[in-house]
Amino acid sequence: MGHNNEKSREFFDRAKMQTTREYLMKFMYQIEVRKEEAEDTLNKVRGFCVEHEEDIVERYIELNAKYAKKHNVDKETISLEEVIDIDYARKFCSAIDEHKENVDDIINKHANNWSVARMPKIDLAILRISICEILYMELPSKVSINEAIELAKIYCDDKSPKFINGILGSVVTEFEK
């Protein structure tokens, strides 16, 4: 009996994590498009999440149904805190505030014939998140790369998943030495 609950919890957490990552990506995209500074990111993310709360809850419910095969989440009573991983968001915001220049330098170094200024902004947002996860948040590189590729399949053009995978693969190769 306990095993099934653990399995449901695993899927619940996956939906929450994926929702969080997707909306951080959308936030990073918005920051880039608006040419805003990425300082005080956590407060900006909070505002972004409140502004998009209905969409975030809808996406979480969709992912929860996909992973947990449960459809009993009540969107009228579920809160933003239940669908966003606040600890992860806090760690990411701290990492990007502190290391954005270094992350961009790493992207520039590994993106053959591309620069952060020229690449599609959504690709850049995905890369920044994944590199922060791998280098500063101690997320396993395979998990981060897989999640980045999945986001690219949903939100980017057909060439982006391969492009993102190539950059992240070379980053991991360099930093695992």
Side-chain angles (χ1 to χ4, degrees):
M1 184 76 116
H3 180 68
N4 287 341
N5 288 340
E6 285 179 31
K7 197 70 167 164
S8 293
R9 183 73 184 146
E10 174 188 321
F11 289 128
F12 177 81
D13 290 342
R14 183 165 183 203
K16 186 175 187 176
M17 192 63 226
Q18 193 168 344
T19 302
T20 305
R21 192 178 276 112
E22 278 190 38
Y23 277 87
L24 280 174
M25 177 210 57
K26 290 177 180 187
F27 167 77
M28 293 300 295
Y29 171 80
Q30 178 179 294
I31 291 288
E32 192 63 27
V33 168
R34 292 182 178 177
K35 299 190 183 321
E36 294 178 23
E37 291 299 315
E39 57 201 22
D40 194 26
T41 308
L42 185 57
N43 283 327
K44 289 179 182 176
V45 165
R46 284 185 180 132
F48 179 85
C49 288
V50 168
E51 186 180 318
H52 295 90
E53 182 172 5
E54 190 175 318
D55 294 331
I56 293 170
V57 169
E58 287 287 334
R59 181 61 173 150
Y60 170 79
I61 290 170
E62 179 183 321
L63 290 168
N64 184 63
K66 175 181 174 183
Y67 295 127
K69 311 272 189 276
K70 289 169 51 178
H71 303 283
N72 60 351
V73 178
D74 182 5
K75 78 177 186 179
E76 301 303 319
T77 60
I78 197 164
S79 70
L80 194 57
E81 291 77 22
E82 293 174 87
V83 301
I84 294 289
D85 186 327
I86 302 299
D87 288 336
Y88 168 86
R90 186 178 296 116
K91 288 176 187 171
F92 171 76
C93 291
S94 175
I96 200 68
D97 280 349
E98 189 173 339
H99 303 287
K100 183 176 178 281
E101 282 183 39
N102 187 50
V103 168
D104 286 355
D105 289 344
I106 290 167
I107 293 169
N108 283 330
K109 178 179 177 182
H110 293 279
N112 298 334
N113 301 317
W114 285 91
S115 68
V116 294
R118 286 187 49 234
M119 71 178 52
K121 302 307 178 209
I122 201 77
D123 293 14
L124 180 58
I126 293 169
L127 286 165
R128 283 177 173 156
I129 290 170
S130 189
I131 290 171
C132 277
E133 288 175 342
I134 294 166
L135 298 182
Y136 306 112
M137 297 170 65
E138 299 176 3
L139 203 72
S141 58
K142 283 186 178 183
V143 171
S144 184
I145 292 170
N146 286 340
E147 293 296 328
I149 292 167
E150 289 305 310
L151 283 174
K153 287 177 183 176
I154 296 169
Y155 293 101
C156 303
D157 70 27
D158 293 345
K159 295 177 184 175
S160 291
K162 186 176 180 182
F163 174 71
I164 289 169
N165 185 46
I167 292 172
L168 295 175
S170 63
V171 168
V172 168
T173 299
E174 176 185 338
F175 286 94
E176 285 184 349
K177 287 181 180 178

